[in-house]
Amino acid sequence: VSTPWLTERHGYDPTSGGRLRAAGAAAAEAREAALAMHSRELVRRAWEALADAQEADGRPHDALASYRRYKAMSDSLLDAAMLRRVATLEERAATERRERQIEALRHAQALSALEARRRAAQRDAVAAVAVLLAAAGVLAYRRRRRDARRDEVLALTDPLTGAANRRFVRERVARESDGGDGLAFLLLDVDHFKRVNDTYGHGAGDRLLAELAGQPRRAVGGDEVVVRWGGEEFLVVCRGASPRAAAATAARLRGAVAAHAMLLGGDAVLRVRCSVGFAVAPRDAAGTRWGWEGTVALADHALYAAKASGRDAWVGYSAARRLTAPTATPAPEHVAAWLASGALTRAASHDDGSRSAA
């Protein structure tokens, strides 16, 4: 504080006592000004200056009171500053915690999204594998079914001619042998087939059999079954055939074979003839239709009769009344006895002069 200001405001006296009184008055005025300004820091400093002036002026009691006010103001300001600093630090800490929580939440959300994608991909992969396994299972099942059907067809088919074989008759036709009326069996045998093999070779004979296997199919049509019975012999199974229809079928078979010409090379062709014997399945005394073995045996007797009549012919047997065979395969003497008694009727191609020259 300048000397002129003290002199003007507080009657400054250059003596020591005057200086102390002027300093105390200035400190008190500064305190009032600081209070008017609402500046707690200036008020604190003013209390400190006033306490110093009072102590120097020999007023310890007043100085102690001023120092206490100064100390309380300092503590208050210090506490306020400390509180502000603590509040600032707490706010910063809270902000950092929120930021860490937000970052942790984002990280957790990213992990959750990644896990969801992983699970979705896993589900998709499992679904794809399941679809592939199901498709593979279906394909394997279809392949097994196809292979089974192929194996079954191969097992029931003659490899040379593509016709059915004896096993087919045993497994399929046997179930139908006791069915409805008119189950007829026709045996076709190529006449003098050995001459074909001897003259043209077994390869030509096999090719001839393969070509002839298609003639019964074209001649009979419908649901009839063509079987390679063995060697040059074929069996034709006709369902719902009366004796008259069986005779007509036998005539068509013979005509189809006779009309077939196998090319040998160049202009040469090979023609053969055949003999046919048939039987319409009889019924026994109980009304049960004969089994296929007995009926085929009866057709075989008819074929033998056709061969004996000069070949290139057909002969057929049908029952005029119920017949009980003494064995599963009736012998020639049984057939002769039945024919003699009229129990078995016979039809033949040469009965009406229709047999062609061999």
Side-chain angles (χ1 to χ4, degrees), residues 21-40:
R21 284 192 297 274
E29 185 178 355
R31 181 196 62 190
E32 296 302 324
L35 288 171
M37 295 170 61
H38 303 286
S39 173
R40 298 183 67 188

Side-chain angles (χ1 to χ4, degrees), residues 325-340:
T327 60
T329 54
E333 57 269 21
H334 301 138
V335 176
W338 289 329
L339 288 171

Side-chain angles (χ1 to χ4, degrees), residues 179-201:
D181 293 336
L183 186 63
F185 293 86
L186 297 89
L187 279 173
L188 181 153
D189 184 85
V190 180
D191 295 333
H192 303 298
F193 182 74
K194 185 176 182 302
R195 296 178 184 175
V196 176
N197 286 333
D198 293 343
T199 304
Y200 303 104

Side-chain angles (χ1 to χ4, degrees), residues 136-314:
V138 171
L139 290 176
Y141 172 74
R142 289 179 177 175
R143 185 164 50 249
R144 287 195 301 270
R145 287 287 303 274
R146 184 179 64 249
D147 293 344
R149 287 195 296 268
R150 181 196 60 198
D151 293 342
E152 182 180 12
V153 169
L154 291 176
L156 301 176
T157 303
D158 175 60
L160 175 63
T161 63
N165 57 19
R166 283 179 176 257
R167 179 178 175 182
F168 181 90
V169 177
R170 289 195 300 269
E171 295 185 4
R172 301 293 178 85
V173 178
R175 295 197 295 263
E176 304 174 8
S177 61
D178 58 350
D181 293 336
L183 186 63
F185 293 86
L186 297 89
L187 279 173
L188 181 153
D189 184 85
V190 180
D191 295 333
H192 303 298
F193 182 74
K194 185 176 182 302
R195 296 178 184 175
V196 176
N197 286 333
D198 293 343
T199 304
Y200 303 104
H202 289 277
D206 289 345
R207 186 159 64 93
L208 175 64
L209 291 176
E211 292 184 10
L212 290 180
Q215 300 307 313
R217 297 191 189 98
R218 286 187 285 271
V220 297
D223 295 332
E224 285 74 9
V225 177
V226 179
V227 180
R228 187 184 180 194
W229 198 239
E232 66 275 16
E233 199 170 56
F234 294 91
L235 175 69
V236 179
V237 183
C238 297
R239 303 174 179 87
S242 64
R244 183 183 297 274
T249 301
R252 288 198 302 272
L253 288 174
R254 193 188 68 165
V257 172
H260 179 73
M262 187 180 81
L263 297 177
L264 295 174
D267 295 332
V269 295
L270 173 63
R271 296 181 184 274
V272 293
R273 299 289 189 269
C274 73
S275 299
V276 181
F278 73 83
V280 178
R283 293 186 181 274
D284 61 18
T288 303
R289 187 171 298 283
W290 280 21
W292 69 270
E293 297 96 332
T295 308
V296 170
L298 194 59
D300 189 58
H301 290 306
L303 175 62
Y304 179 80
K307 291 285 188 181
S309 69
R311 293 184 171 85
D312 189 23
W314 59 262

Side-chain angles (χ1 to χ4, degrees), residues 4-82:
W5 183 80
L6 289 174
T7 302
E8 181 183 353
R9 294 293 298 263
H10 300 289
Y12 174 69
D13 185 352
T15 63
S16 60
R19 290 195 302 272
L20 293 174
R21 284 192 297 274
E29 185 178 355
R31 181 196 62 190
E32 296 302 324
L35 288 171
M37 295 170 61
H38 303 286
S39 173
R40 298 183 67 188
E41 176 61 23
L42 292 178
V43 172
R44 184 183 71 83
R45 291 181 181 180
W47 279 116
E48 182 183 18
L50 182 60
D52 290 343
Q54 288 172 343
E55 184 180 5
D57 194 28
R59 295 161 57 189
H61 181 78
D62 294 335
L64 178 61
S66 297
Y67 269 123
R68 286 176 175 170
R69 299 295 300 271
Y70 162 73
K71 177 66 168 57
M73 184 67 70
S74 296
D75 292 343
S76 175
L77 289 174
L78 179 62
D79 291 343
M82 183 64 67

